[in-house]
């Protein structure tokens, strides 16, 4: 069975916009993703070395905000939802499949290194920029936050700037 | 009035809400094609602008929606999370993310989405992002200065560039439409010379009527938000008209009744004092609360004015201002607001500073005057007692958000 076609991007965007609007109306906050990674990192570090999280400022601040339970975070629940929602969508559109996608011109090993390193940069950048494409750029645009829109321009601007150097990875 | 958290929806239930919102989020991202890195980086090489289309349509839709809801008094924008602006970390963080985007082919949200349908490269990307966050966390003392530099507060972009919100929103919407058109041209050109086999990525609009209809609705809501004056402006303007206020039918309370209820320690009334806070601190009736007329439009007041079995009595120095406040409360949908006839100045004159007249005309007047005489002795004592009990208002806080 072939995979179903993707939704019209404008229609998907419209739905995504309505969802974001509903999220703001109900909870007063926007969507996000990288914050869940942060929760994950803090909880792993806490489990491995309790003493370290009590000393280092970053963890300490985070744990104080979360009543010492780093996973009790709105974004953790939201991201669990994302996994479920995407899985359901993949299921009904016949796209569930274990694959490692890469351009035919590069080797699997190159793609693995690039994905790992890209994730590393994105994770780091999202901490520095206080949010990723969802939390800072998209949600920031919806509430017309200067910081959010600057981050959005920097993400897309940066990506266009660096795109040329990494073209071999994709085309 | 929104946001519904934390008053209508508790903080625990909010986690359940988060799960459902996440399900919808993941579903939409996957349906849009955000579960494959090929499609995601397409916009940086000109062969597939899906990401840009979805992203900007969503951003513009939500932005116009937030403006419209705020405009019609359905959402208290002062309570929603506005991403704070730290200039350098926003820009440098953004550049690093941009680099991560073209190298890794995902962003955090889309990597979760792709991992859920089995993309191994996405799972590796997620592992990478854990390491990235860990590096930031461990090196935090090194980055802290940059992280907190050039703080601009909860800046809004239209203020930063010196425009009105409406102007900026219009400009952004127009820019988005232009970009949609321009990128389609780029896409067609790039794909024309790509090897065969690459799928055409131009979106199809079928059924066309659905798209026309949705665009129409969006336009109507968007335009009405810009061209109709907002609720607050309209109400404040209406009550400026004295003849409008005079002809408005709304219940009142006389100074004697109010005095009686205060002496009676009547728990079913609630006095809303709309004078300035300074005047309120100088002299205020027992158990009265201080709110400015402007504050009546905020969500923080909603909780207080809707307490069950409490009659809200609006008072100001004069009767006209008292009635104005009550009318606004009535228009905002609060149940049976009442204003103080003769206002607080009348209350002072007739009750607090009561002087027994030398001539008494009727039996009824005798009773009234006797009551006022008693009230003029006892109420000041209550006022004095109450002075220490004036509690500061509980301010509603902005929602906490971000990543």
């Amino acid at each position: 069975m072939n995979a179903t076609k993707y939704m019209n991007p404008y229609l998907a965007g419209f739905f995504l916009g309505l969802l974001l609007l509903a999220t703001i109306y109900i909870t007063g906050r926007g969507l996000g993703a990288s914050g869940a990674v942060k929760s994950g990192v803090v909880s792993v570090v806490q489990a491995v070395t309790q003493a370290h999280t009590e000393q280092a400022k970053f963890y300490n601040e985070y744990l104080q905000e979360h009543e010492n339970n780093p996973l009790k975070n709105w974004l953790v629940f939201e991201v669990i939802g994302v996994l479920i929602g995407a899985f359901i969508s993949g299921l009904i559109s016949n796209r569930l499949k274990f694959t490692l996608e890469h351009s035919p011109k590069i080797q699997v090993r190159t793609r693995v290194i690039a994905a790992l390193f890209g994730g590393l940069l994105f994770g780091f950048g999202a901490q520095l920029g206080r949010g990723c494409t969802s939390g800072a750029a998209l949600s920031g645009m919806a509430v017309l936050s200067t910081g959010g829109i600057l981050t959005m321009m920097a993400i897309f601007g940066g990506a266009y700037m660096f795109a040329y150097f990494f073209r071999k990875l994709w085309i | 009035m929104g946001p519904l958290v934390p008053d209508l929806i508790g903080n625990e239930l909010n986690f359940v809400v988060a799960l459902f919102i996440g399900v919808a989020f993941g579903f939409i991202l996957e349906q849009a094609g955000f579960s494959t890195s090929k499609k995601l980086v397409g916009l940086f090489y000109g062969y597939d602008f899906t990401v840009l289309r979805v992203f900007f349509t969503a951003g513009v839709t939500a932005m116009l929606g937030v403006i419209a809801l705020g405009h019609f008094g359905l959402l208290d924008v002062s309570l929603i999370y506005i991403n704070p602006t730290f200039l350098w970390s926003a820009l440098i963080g953004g550049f690093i993310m941009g680099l991560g985007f073209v190298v890794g082919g995902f962003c955090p949200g889309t990597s979760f989405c792709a991992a859920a349908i089995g993309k191994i490269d996405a799972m590796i990307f997620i592992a990478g992002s854990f390491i990235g966050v860990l590096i930031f966390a461990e090196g935090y003392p090194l980055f802290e200065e940059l992280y907190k530099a050039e703080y601009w507060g909860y800046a809004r972009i239209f203020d930063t560039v010196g425009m009105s919100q409406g102007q900026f929103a219009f400009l952004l919407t127009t820019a988005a439409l232009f970009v949609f058109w321009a990128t389609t041209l780029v896409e067609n050109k790039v794909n024309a010379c790509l090897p065969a086999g690459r799928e055409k990525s131009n979106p199809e609009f079928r059924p066309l009527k659905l798209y026309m209809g949705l665009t129409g609705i969006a336009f109507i809501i968007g335009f009405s938000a810009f061209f109709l004056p907002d609720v607050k402006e309209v109400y404040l303007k209406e009550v400026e008209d004295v003849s409008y206020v005079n002809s408005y039918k709304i219940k009142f309370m006389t100074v004697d009744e109010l005095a009686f209820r205060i002496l009676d320690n009547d728990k079913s009334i609630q006095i809303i004092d709309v004078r300035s806070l300074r005047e309120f601190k100088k002299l205020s009736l027992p158990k009265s609360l201080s709110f400015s007329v402007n504050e009546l439009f905020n969500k923080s007041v909603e909780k207080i004015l809707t307490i069950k079995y409490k009659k809200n009595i609006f008072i100001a120095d004069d009767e006209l201002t008292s009635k104005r406040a009550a009318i606004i409360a009535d228009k905002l949908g609060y149940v049976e607001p009442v204003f103080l006839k003769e206002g607080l100045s009348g209350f002072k004159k007739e009750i607090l500073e009561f002087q027994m007249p030398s001539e008494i005309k009727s039996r009824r007047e005798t009773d009234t005057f006797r009551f006022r005489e008693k009230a003029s002795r006892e109420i000041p004592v209550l006022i004095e007692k109450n002075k220490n009990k004036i509690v500061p208002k509980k301010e509603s806080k902005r929602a906490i958000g971000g990543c």
Side-chain angles (χ1 to χ4, degrees):
Chain A
M1 242 195 306
N2 280 331
T4 322
K5 272 197 168 170
Y6 293 120
M7 198 190 279
N8 174 304
Y10 299 110
L11 188 63
F14 182 66
F15 285 142
L16 184 55
L18 289 185
L19 176 70
L20 177 54
L21 180 62
T23 308
I24 294 171
Y25 178 76
I26 297 170
T27 68
R29 52 161 303 144
L31 299 166
S34 60
V37 178
K38 183 167 156 183
S39 295
V41 168
V42 176
S43 55
V44 169
V45 174
Q46 191 190 27
V48 174
T49 155
Q50 178 83 32
H52 182 57
T53 53
E54 280 158 17
Q55 281 162 7
K57 198 171 170 191
F58 182 86
Y59 302 104
N60 205 347
E61 278 178 5
Y62 192 85
L63 287 172
Q64 269 174 9
E65 281 167 27
H66 290 80
E67 300 159 11
N68 227 12
N69 188 355
L71 291 178
K72 208 174 164 189
N73 176 293
W74 196 88
L75 287 171
V76 171
F77 287 84
E78 188 230 51
V79 163
I80 294 169
V82 169
L83 294 171
I84 300 169
F87 181 82
I88 296 171
S89 166
L91 188 70
I92 60 175
S93 298
N94 292 315
R95 284 194 282 265
L96 292 184
K97 199 181 161 196
F98 277 107
T99 47
L100 200 150
E101 261 188 334
H102 62 96
S103 159
K105 290 177 191 164
I106 58 167
Q107 297 201 323
V108 172
R109 213 177 61 142
T110 318
R111 175 69 186 124
V112 168
I113 295 168
L116 189 74
F117 202 63
L120 187 152
L121 288 166
F122 223 120
F124 182 88
Q127 283 315 305
L128 189 60
R130 295 180 172 74
C132 56
T133 339
S134 335
L138 184 61
S139 303
M141 182 174 164
V143 297
L144 293 174
S145 144
T146 303
I149 290 177
L150 285 176
T151 307
M152 172 190 84
M153 297 196 317
I155 294 175
F156 287 108
Y160 273 106
M161 251 169 53
F162 297 117
Y164 178 80
F165 306 103
F166 297 97
R167 65 189 185 284
K168 296 245 163 71
L169 289 175
W170 308 106
I171 52 173
Chain B
M1 195 191 276
L4 307 180
V5 175
D7 299 340
L8 215 60
I9 293 176
N11 284 324
E12 302 291 321
L13 184 60
N14 196 4
F15 289 130
V16 182
V17 171
L19 189 76
F20 281 102
I21 288 172
V23 170
F25 188 27
F27 189 87
I28 296 169
L29 288 181
E30 209 289 322
Q31 282 296 313
F34 281 18
S35 53
T36 160
S37 53
K38 273 188 213 156
K39 224 171 167 54
L40 286 166
V41 294
L43 79 155
F44 304 119
Y45 299 99
Y47 64 79
D48 188 338
F49 285 96
T50 303
V51 171
L52 191 121
R53 291 179 181 124
V54 177
F55 185 90
F56 280 100
T57 311
V60 167
T61 306
M63 170 195 72
L64 292 178
V66 170
I67 293 175
L69 288 181
H71 189 88
F72 295 117
L74 298 169
L75 176 69
D76 190 341
V77 180
S78 69
L79 294 182
I80 63 174
Y81 176 75
I82 308 285
N83 311 55
T85 305
F86 292 83
L87 183 65
W88 298 121
S89 63
L91 289 177
I92 297 170
F95 277 123
I96 297 173
M97 284 188 262
L99 178 62
F101 211 155
V102 284
V103 173
F106 290 106
C107 62
T110 52
S111 68
F112 287 120
C113 174
I117 66 156
K119 295 282 158 66
I120 297 162
D121 45 338
M123 297 172 196
I124 296 165
F125 182 94
I126 295 172
S129 65
F130 267 81
I131 302 170
V133 175
L134 186 69
I135 292 173
F136 186 85
E138 290 300 323
Y140 186 63
L142 281 174
F143 312 121
E144 196 179 357
E145 201 180 327
L146 175 65
Y147 184 65
K148 291 183 175 163
E150 205 56 32
Y151 178 49
W152 290 0
Y154 297 99
R156 310 289 301 274
I157 185 77
F158 47 89
D159 290 328
T160 310
V161 297
M163 279 187 205
S164 76
Q165 175 169 270
Q167 283 169 332
F168 188 86
F170 179 77
L171 211 68
L172 191 67
T173 311
T174 317
L177 292 175
F178 173 78
V179 167
F180 293 152
W181 172 73
T183 51
T184 305
L185 296 186
V186 173
E187 199 176 82
N188 286 341
K189 206 158 193 179
V190 171
N191 287 351
C193 40
L194 269 177
R198 170 101 66 191
E199 270 177 67
K200 262 188 86 176
S201 52
N202 282 5
E204 289 171 7
F205 295 97
R206 269 184 294 183
L208 191 63
K209 270 185 192 159
L210 171 75
Y211 291 92
M212 305 265 278
L214 288 177
T215 317
I217 294 167
F219 258 103
I220 292 166
I221 295 173
F223 273 94
S224 61
F226 293 121
F227 292 114
L228 302 176
D230 72 42
V231 174
K232 190 171 173 180
E233 236 171 84
V234 172
Y235 290 176
L236 287 174
K237 197 154 189 180
E238 274 177 347
V239 296
E240 260 176 40
D241 183 0
V242 178
S243 61
Y244 175 85
V245 175
N246 285 337
S247 62
Y248 198 99
K249 282 206 171 60
I250 196 162
K251 284 189 180 160
F252 62 82
M253 188 175 275
T254 60
V255 289
D256 289 311
E257 187 183 346
L258 182 64
F260 178 77
R261 285 182 184 246
I262 290 173
L263 285 178
D264 198 32
N265 196 14
D266 187 343
K267 294 207 165 75
S268 73
I269 61 162
Q270 187 165 249
I271 303 167
I272 309 295
D273 193 330
V274 295
R275 293 172 307 153
S276 71
L277 195 61
R278 225 176 90 200
E279 288 173 288
F280 179 80
K281 277 183 181 154
K282 229 186 267 170
L283 173 86
S284 56
L285 297 179
K287 287 180 202 156
S288 59
L289 299 162
S290 165
F291 285 109
S292 69
V293 173
N294 272 324
E295 277 178 303
L296 296 180
F297 293 92
N298 292 356
K299 193 181 155 68
S300 51
V301 181
E302 195 179 73
K303 224 174 167 177
I304 291 159
L305 292 189
T306 49
I307 298 174
K308 267 192 185 160
Y309 314 118
K310 284 247 189 205
K311 195 190 268 295
N312 294 307
I313 302 154
F314 290 85
I315 63 168
D317 267 329
D318 55 311
E319 181 177 320
L320 192 66
T321 318
S322 311
K323 192 171 178 185
R324 276 178 177 146
I327 290 173
I328 288 173
D330 188 48
K331 285 177 152 282
L332 286 170
Y334 295 116
V335 183
E336 284 200 8
V338 180
F339 71 93
L340 179 64
K341 207 168 163 53
E342 294 172 67
L344 198 59
S345 57
F347 190 85
K348 272 189 215 159
K349 198 173 125 221
E350 307 275 9
I351 309 285
L352 300 182
E353 296 152 10
F354 177 72
Q355 298 288 331
M356 193 61 98
S358 49
E359 199 184 333
I360 294 169
K361 281 177 198 149
S362 66
R363 176 76 185 273
R364 210 190 130 144
E365 270 193 0
T366 321
D367 292 342
T368 310
F369 292 151
R370 217 176 261 160
F371 167 73
R372 286 184 184 174
E373 202 269 321
K374 177 180 167 226
S376 72
R377 268 184 286 112
E378 292 176 12
I379 292 182
V381 180
L382 291 176
I383 290 177
E384 205 48 48
K385 252 196 208 161
N386 185 61
K387 239 180 191 167
N388 307 322
K389 283 193 211 151
I390 297 177
V391 272
K393 263 180 292 184
K394 235 170 110 187
E395 284 286 333
S396 290
K397 271 193 198 136
R398 232 177 230 292
I400 296 169
C403 283

